[in-house]
Amino acid sequence: MTVRRNVTPWASAALLLTTLLATGCAEDKDSGSRPAARTSSDTPHGYVEGAQEAAEQQSRLLLNDPESGDSRILDLTTGEVHKTARAKGAAQLGTDGRFGYLHTSGGTRVIDSGVWMVDHGDHVHYYSAAIREVGELPAGSGAQVRSDVAVTAVTDEDGSAVLYDRGGLEKGAIEPLRTLPGGYTGAVVPYEEHLIAFAGEGATAELVVLDREGERVASPDVECEEPRGDAITRRGVILGCADGALLVRAEDGVFTAEQIPYGEDVPTGERATAFRQRPGSDTLTAPAGDEAVWVLDTAERSWTRLETGPVVAANTAGEGSPLLVLETDGSLHGYDIASGRQTTRTEPLLTGGERADSDGSDPLIEVDRSRAYVNDPDGKKVFEIDYADGLRIARSFDLDIRPVLMAETGR
């Protein structure tokens, strides 16, 4: 799907660059991991200055202890641990696949993890580079950061939104492009060279499509009650609402919003308000209260509620993989999504009792194409789980900090 209208100059440049890269990829798509074709200037296909290309995913975990402020980056390829920017009192850690965003009351620290991927549809390029601290965004602990290849949108708690040059971040500089007019509920999400947002304030918000100047170019004539949560899938943008979700798509320059209702009245405390997924996957998870998990299949446009028992965290790789649920017994449980049946579980992983969240931050489950990662803050460990092999513990990593906050990059 490609949108060809209302494209600003820098977005056009990014689109042109992407098109040129994709053209090169098309000529090279059957080469697999063989050496890429050379251009007339002898520049290798997929070349990125200052980065090394790899044949396989180069994943790293960003970790932070809010109490001490200490941060680490765990290289999952080499097993090495690197010190990086301190961020004391961080309330959350987000990522866009390359950059980590540590949100504190005084601002948002930006860390370049040095690993990322470029997906060209028929094949993927994986890159690694030096880890570095980029700087600080003037956005508080409740800010939400969303990115695409051209821009990074930062939506603050007061509903204001600022666009930053993504290329600037890649060069180690924070370069604001513009402040968007108006106020927004929830995150402003870059998508198909445009921005998807909920305009206004209050319980019910109007879905709008903005160009990169912040001007409205489409209104799909749909509202969302109590919007909470968003995710990017290959089928479009998912936005959480009180009665279910909206799937926003663009095709031939036309934006549409399709409702995916729960199909039943769901109490406020059991609605999906924060989605977890393998990046790009069409299968999303979200807590359904304290003792169940929602699974949203965007391909089938359907919700499934699994009664699991007390939930700390949940995630899935999708595509026939099990639902992974970290429960208050400290064990990781695997469930068959179709039947809802528990298929396997680990021994207790967490050393801090039922939750290991003495500072109020629960552990997480990060998922990529072959492994899952669970952080144990009190045990100062991260576990690597082979979810395709009965939740086998493939590796464990000992750390010198409490990894309370965790995010995986390079995916």
Side-chain angles (χ1 to χ4, degrees), residues 312-391:
V312 177
N315 210 333
T316 183
E319 301 174 358
S321 298
L323 170 68
L324 306 177
V325 183
L326 183 64
E327 301 189 15
T328 55
D329 60 3
S331 299
L332 186 66
H333 299 244
Y335 292 85
D336 176 71
I337 295 175
S339 67
R341 182 175 60 88
Q342 179 176 299
T343 57
T344 187
R345 58 171 288 185
T346 67
E347 294 298 317
L349 301 178
L350 307 185
T351 49
E354 292 186 343
R355 281 185 171 254
D357 64 342
S358 56
D359 63 355
S361 297
D362 288 333
L364 299 171
I365 305 171
E366 290 281 6
V367 178
D368 58 34
R369 290 186 178 275
S370 62
R371 295 289 189 267
Y373 298 92
V374 178
N375 55 323
D376 176 12
D378 287 348
K380 295 185 178 180
K381 287 180 179 291
V382 170
F383 294 94
E384 180 181 77
I385 308 295
D386 185 347
Y387 54 78
D389 188 16
L391 304 188

Side-chain angles (χ1 to χ4, degrees), residues 162-238:
V162 180
L163 295 186
Y164 292 84
D165 181 15
R166 170 73 178 206
L169 292 181
E170 294 169 0
K171 296 175 182 177
I174 293 177
E175 300 176 354
L177 294 170
R178 62 182 46 80
T179 297
L180 299 179
Y184 304 94
T185 300
V188 173
V189 181
Y191 172 66
E192 290 289 330
E193 303 161 40
H194 287 69
L195 305 167
I196 308 300
F198 286 116
E201 301 177 355
T204 301
E206 176 190 7
L207 179 68
V208 296
V209 179
L210 313 173
D211 64 19
R212 295 299 168 90
E213 300 291 334
E215 298 297 327
R216 293 194 190 191
V217 296
S219 295
D221 192 26
V222 64
E223 293 183 338
C224 177
E225 184 179 349
E226 299 177 10
R228 289 277 304 276
D230 59 272
I232 297 289
T233 74
R234 291 188 179 276
R235 298 179 186 274
V237 180
I238 286 290

Side-chain angles (χ1 to χ4, degrees), residues 87-260:
K88 192 169 184 178
Q92 59 174 319
L93 169 59
T95 183
D96 56 16
R98 174 173 177 174
F99 296 94
Y101 302 95
L102 280 160
H103 300 273
T104 72
S105 59
T108 296
R109 305 293 293 275
V110 184
I111 300 171
D112 186 349
S113 72
V115 288
W116 68 95
M117 59 170 281
V118 178
D119 189 348
H120 289 287
D122 59 350
H123 71 286
V124 177
H125 294 275
Y126 300 105
Y127 297 98
S128 63
I131 298 167
R132 62 181 171 184
E133 182 182 358
V134 178
E136 188 168 279
L137 297 168
S141 57
Q144 300 183 74
V145 181
R146 306 290 184 267
S147 299
D148 67 5
V149 298
V151 298
T152 295
V154 180
T155 312
D156 217 332
E157 289 179 290
D158 61 3
S160 63
V162 180
L163 295 186
Y164 292 84
D165 181 15
R166 170 73 178 206
L169 292 181
E170 294 169 0
K171 296 175 182 177
I174 293 177
E175 300 176 354
L177 294 170
R178 62 182 46 80
T179 297
L180 299 179
Y184 304 94
T185 300
V188 173
V189 181
Y191 172 66
E192 290 289 330
E193 303 161 40
H194 287 69
L195 305 167
I196 308 300
F198 286 116
E201 301 177 355
T204 301
E206 176 190 7
L207 179 68
V208 296
V209 179
L210 313 173
D211 64 19
R212 295 299 168 90
E213 300 291 334
E215 298 297 327
R216 293 194 190 191
V217 296
S219 295
D221 192 26
V222 64
E223 293 183 338
C224 177
E225 184 179 349
E226 299 177 10
R228 289 277 304 276
D230 59 272
I232 297 289
T233 74
R234 291 188 179 276
R235 298 179 186 274
V237 180
I238 286 290
L239 303 168
C241 303
D243 60 354
L246 296 176
L247 174 60
V248 181
R249 307 178 68 187
E251 189 169 1
D252 297 328
V254 177
F255 287 84
T256 60
E258 180 179 354
Q259 294 181 321
I260 307 178

